[in-house]
Amino acid sequence: MAEPSKVTEHVRTEAQKGRGQRRATIEVAYADCTGCRLCEMACSLFHEGTIWPEASRIRVEQYHPGPLDIPVICHRCFERYCVAACPTSALVYDAAAEVVRLKAEDCVQCGACYTACPHTGAIAPHPKTNLPMQCDLCDGNPRCVAACPAGCLAWVEGSSFSPAHYVITPPSEVARSLAHLYYPAKEAP
């Protein structure tokens, strides 16, 4: 029998540590997103010092049928597939902040973290440095939540984290599940 891969072993270890409560998390009401992209602007302003949506750690992507606007953000999964996939240990889990951080000097920009993340698009290359970037919760005060006029994003204290919902549901699947709300199928004549 083959030895388990580094990713498989890491996921198994993390799962054994237990799941349950986060101190707080960003919860997304996907159906409420209006596509205004103020979240992207607030995030990039905080991290980059300028409004630069391409460098935002949250992205609003359009899916079809539609367009349907779906916020894409790191959901801080317990398995931390991105950390396990990194061959140089450039991605590390900061337990105090409950986020994954990048040690830029160790990153070889191989892209393993992008493909390992089941929430497609939650980790993206920075448009200037090409280093991976993902949500760091703005040090506990997420600017995207404060900027969201529709209430699509909410900072919820002590929220229960459901890996079954967040981890295995890529944005395209979220869009597909919402499509019937906006684009009902026509009945056959």
Side-chain angles (χ1 to χ4, degrees):
M1 186 170 173
E3 286 291 313
S5 71
K6 177 183 172 187
V7 174
T8 303
E9 192 57 40
H10 175 82
V11 169
R12 185 176 298 129
T13 302
E14 291 302 315
Q16 290 169 350
K17 288 181 183 177
R19 300 173 182 209
Q21 294 291 105
R22 291 266 191 220
R23 286 191 300 274
T25 194
I26 297 173
E27 290 192 355
V28 182
Y30 294 103
D32 295 339
C33 182
T34 63
C36 71
R37 292 176 167 65
L38 287 174
C39 57
E40 293 177 340
M41 291 182 233
C43 177
S44 63
L45 188 58
F46 177 76
H47 287 94
E48 305 295 328
T50 187
I51 295 175
W52 188 12
E54 294 82 8
S56 174
R57 277 63 174 170
I58 183 172
R59 281 165 301 290
V60 178
E61 296 184 4
Q62 287 192 334
Y63 291 88
H64 295 278
L68 291 172
D69 296 301
I70 303 294
V72 178
I73 189 169
C74 175
H75 285 290
R76 301 162 38 238
C77 63
F78 283 94
E79 294 84 1
R80 296 186 275 285
Y81 296 101
C82 58
V83 172
C86 182
T88 62
S89 300
L91 289 175
V92 294
Y93 180 65
D94 179 344
E98 296 182 340
V99 297
V100 172
R101 300 211 187 266
L102 174 69
K103 295 188 304 185
E105 66 278 3
D106 294 339
C107 181
V108 295
Q109 300 178 13
C110 66
C113 54
Y114 308 133
T115 55
C117 178
H119 199 74
T120 311
I123 305 173
H126 188 281
K128 189 173 185 181
T129 66
N130 211 36
L131 291 169
M133 58 179 188
Q134 68 191 74
C135 179
D136 62 4
L137 300 177
C138 297
D139 301 321
N141 183 18
R143 301 319 195 268
C144 60
V145 172
C148 181
C152 166
L153 303 172
W155 180 243
V156 181
E157 297 288 337
S159 66
S160 179
F161 188 81
S162 170
H165 171 71
Y166 292 114
V167 176
I168 61 171
T169 310
S172 58
E173 291 297 317
V174 172
R176 195 175 352 269
S177 69
L178 292 175
H180 76 279
L181 296 173
Y182 304 101
Y183 306 99
K186 294 181 182 177
E187 291 184 24

